[in-house]
Amino acid sequence: MKKLILTFSLLTLSTLELFARAGGGERGWSFLFRTPFGWAILLIFGVIAFLIFRFRVVRTRKRLARFAELDKVWDFKKLERTVEQTYFKVQNAWNDDNLEPIEHLLTEKMSKKLRFQLDYYKSINKKNVLEKIELNSVDIISARDYENDSKDTFKASIVGSMIDYDLNLKTGRKIGNNWYSESFSETWTFMRRDNNWLLDEIKD
């Protein structure tokens, strides 16, 4: 139940963010929050988003069951475990500024992206630090099985939490005032390579 409530809350908040970005003057969505019905409309959109999300999860679970009958690489529990293990290994490697231990878990595209981000931080004398890393939920929301196995892919919606801040490498001082753990949601995409699943993309 806690997992469902957290997922619903994050989906509702993401809806609010969409409203805020789309707003602009009284003709934008933001004017709704100055009316008695504004939050009710937000709640309705949040419920709709949540129901669509749950539908995708259930539909994908059924699809994976069919796939797994022919190919055990699609076993639901194994996919979930892959997401969980990859999540923690990637965060730890990021903290260590060292991708070598996880190169075998990444596609070339993802490896280049993470390496570019780490190099950028170093170029501006900063280090991104993650603490109290948690993974609250994993929901597989899509799966595609092709004749060519190398095109197989699945997407997982994850809800995690951590303390996330930057350090100034010259002074050793923390930048900002983020002392508390914050929840977030992301979509992680995995590509099949032989009988292994490699992380290919991370989207907010």
Side-chain angles (χ1 to χ4, degrees), residues 90-98 127-131 133:
V90 167
Q91 309 300 354
N92 290 332
W94 178 269
N95 255 349
D96 294 338
D97 286 336
N98 182 14
K127 174 178 171 58
N128 183 232
V129 180
L130 310 177
E131 296 180 354
I133 301 166

Side-chain angles (χ1 to χ4, degrees), residues 7 14-15 28 30-31 35 42 59 66 71 79 82 96-97 105 115 126 131 146 148 152 173 184 195 199:
T7 303
S14 66
T15 305
S30 61
F31 82 96
T35 72
L42 170 64
R59 181 185 62 181
R66 294 198 304 270
D71 190 344
L79 296 184
T82 294
D96 294 338
D97 286 336
L105 301 176
R115 197 170 297 282
K126 287 184 180 180
E131 296 180 354
Y146 296 91
N148 183 346
D152 290 353
R173 293 181 178 178
F184 62 92
N195 288 327
L199 179 62

Side-chain angles (χ1 to χ4, degrees), residues 88-99 102 113-119 121 127-130 162 164-166:
F88 285 106
K89 288 179 179 179
V90 167
Q91 309 300 354
N92 290 332
W94 178 269
N95 255 349
D96 294 338
D97 286 336
N98 182 14
L99 299 182
I102 61 165
K113 180 178 180 179
L114 292 178
R115 197 170 297 282
F116 172 82
Q117 291 172 336
L118 287 175
D119 288 343
Y121 265 103
K127 174 178 171 58
N128 183 232
V129 180
L130 310 177
M162 62 180 67
D164 182 349
Y165 61 90
D166 292 342

Side-chain angles (χ1 to χ4, degrees), residues 6-7 26-27 33 59-60 89 98 101 111 129 166 179 189:
L6 181 58
T7 303
E26 292 300 317
R27 294 184 182 276
F33 304 103
R59 181 185 62 181
T60 302
K89 288 179 179 179
N98 182 14
S111 176
V129 180
D166 292 342
W179 298 101
T189 301

Side-chain angles (χ1 to χ4, degrees), residues 5-176:
I5 292 173
L6 181 58
T7 303
F8 172 75
S9 300
L10 286 170
L11 285 169
T12 303
L13 286 173
S14 66
T15 305
L16 174 59
E17 290 172 359
L18 282 173
F19 282 158
R21 287 195 296 269
E26 292 300 317
R27 294 184 182 276
W29 285 105
S30 61
F31 82 96
L32 289 171
F33 304 103
R34 301 187 189 127
T35 72
F37 305 105
W39 287 104
I41 292 174
L42 170 64
L43 180 61
I44 291 170
F45 271 86
V47 169
I48 292 172
F50 178 75
L51 292 175
I52 292 173
F53 175 81
R54 296 312 305 175
F55 171 78
R56 291 185 68 186
V57 170
V58 173
R59 181 185 62 181
T60 302
R61 182 76 70 91
K62 293 178 180 178
R63 182 175 294 171
L64 287 173
R66 294 198 304 270
F67 292 170
E69 289 177 359
L70 301 175
D71 190 344
K72 295 304 180 183
V73 76
W74 287 106
D75 180 79
F76 173 77
K77 289 297 182 182
K78 289 181 179 179
L79 296 184
E80 229 181 16
R81 191 158 54 249
T82 294
V83 177
E84 293 171 358
Q85 292 174 350
T86 303
Y87 173 81
F88 285 106
K89 288 179 179 179
V90 167
Q91 309 300 354
N92 290 332
W94 178 269
N95 255 349
D96 294 338
D97 286 336
N98 182 14
L99 299 182
E100 287 187 15
I102 61 165
E103 287 287 358
H104 66 289
L105 301 176
L106 310 174
T107 62
E108 183 178 357
K109 181 182 79 171
M110 192 69 218
S111 176
K112 286 181 178 178
K113 180 178 180 179
L114 292 178
R115 197 170 297 282
F116 172 82
Q117 291 172 336
L118 287 175
D119 288 343
Y120 174 73
Y121 265 103
K122 291 176 183 177
S123 72
I124 58 174
N125 293 307
K126 287 184 180 180
K127 174 178 171 58
N128 183 232
V129 180
L130 310 177
E131 296 180 354
K132 295 185 178 180
I133 301 166
E134 301 288 345
L135 181 59
N136 305 116
S137 69
V138 174
D139 289 293
I140 299 176
I141 57 174
S142 77
R144 296 185 179 276
D145 185 14
Y146 296 91
E147 288 188 17
N148 183 346
D149 287 347
S150 65
K151 293 183 178 181
D152 290 353
T153 182
F154 76 89
K155 296 179 184 288
S157 174
I158 68 156
V159 175
S161 63
M162 62 180 67
I163 300 174
D164 182 349
Y165 61 90
D166 292 342
L167 281 180
N168 184 314
L169 292 178
K170 288 186 175 180
T171 65
R173 293 181 178 178
K174 181 178 177 181
I175 301 171

